[in-house]
Amino acid sequence: MRTVRAWFTETTGGLPRAFWHLWTVTLINRLGSFVLIYMTLYLSVVRDFTPTTIGMLVGAQGAGAVVGTQLSGVLTDRWGRRKTLLLSNFSSVAVLTGLAFVQNVWTIGALLAAMGATLNMARPAFSAMIADLVPPADRVRAYTLNYWAINLGFSGAALLAGVAAGLSFQLIFFINAGAVAASGLLILFKLPETRPAPSPVPDNPAGVKPRGSIRVIAADRVFLAFVGLTFLPALLLMLLESLLPLQVTGAGLSQQEYGWIIATNGVVIVAGQLFIPKLVDGKRRSRVLAVSCLFWAAGVGATGLVASVPMFMLTVLIWTFGEMLQTPANSATIADLSPVDMRGRYQSVFALSFQASTMIAPTLGGLGLEYLGAGLWGVGAVIGVVAAVGNLIAEPARERRLARLLAEAETPEVRPVRTDLPDDTGELKAVRA
């Protein structure tokens, strides 16, 4: 019992109160994320669209997500993390409510694009806020806890959404909108602004671009390679999110059985994710990411070979191991690679790996499933292997960069700390660490 208590304290202790408010926002948001889980089945069962049309509609959501994350990156750095999160949450409530009533395919596509933009505006701001609040040594742990909350909520949503959809598909939109509204209210009343106050910068000589120019990111080859390699497993995740429901129901299984199958993902993560920091402690992140991609390859490749609930659950279990290894390592790496005054924009460019996959995977995947059938999942396995090899090739340059940044982090820097009372703007004051 003492060992368990010590492990729990080591895993959850020492993080600021504001982080736990963020953690609660994540849990509420994901517990109500019914629309993301059942959108494909809604378009198929209720609207009777073809796989190609469904792929294009979900692709429209991905296109909106690209726009939303890029806008959010700028807003997060220049306007503030908290304001961007509030804009994302309350605009999403309006869009989700509207989706419950529309029937025309073009209107649905437009609102899905808007939903992609509004929901994903939260990503850069949320990740930047965690990086602001949590020091580098604790970030893997913080992102692991946040990811655990995501999946704790997701596993509950996967089961509850099936019940709600059985009563009325319209109900899933109202419940999702209510959860997002509750998250927005928690942000409004409990979270301060964490954006660091701008550091005084001397006048730039003529011809020198100011800090924050897009050229800074465009010239960062280590970061851009990391984004590109993250895109490949993200592509596999989006294939599963958008097309696994069709693969399952195409094998003669029911919507409720699909809910059981996909709930395996959340249950396994909830049960095991908090052990991941200990498991990967001391391991090079690039090698952890390479191993995770091999799990992705095996799980996705096997999806086209099975037809029963237990076997589908087994494939989910396999690629879930990859997801558990990948996500905290990715989040901590991008936080460490991002300059403090450009965290929002670095996070938004990093999010492109997921948003581009959200746009591309459903469209091409829908065509692939229609014309290749189970062969589509074999192509996914190849993509996973390519991602694993790519991470090993990129390892030397990436690890040198992380080691240098870690050494630089030991010098004093301007970073936000919580004070007893916010100033009159509601923002945290920045002090010299």
Side-chain angles (χ1 to χ4, degrees), residues 246-257:
L246 301 182
Q247 183 72 22
V248 170
T249 55
L253 303 178
S254 69
Q255 300 168 32
Q256 187 176 25
E257 286 171 317

Side-chain angles (χ1 to χ4, degrees), residues 381-412:
V382 173
I383 292 173
V385 173
V386 170
V389 173
N391 272 290
L392 293 177
I393 293 173
E395 177 185 9
R398 187 186 302 163
E399 295 298 331
R400 284 196 301 269
R401 169 78 171 274
L402 289 173
R404 177 172 60 81
L405 291 174
L406 183 60
E408 291 175 356
E410 296 176 357
T411 61

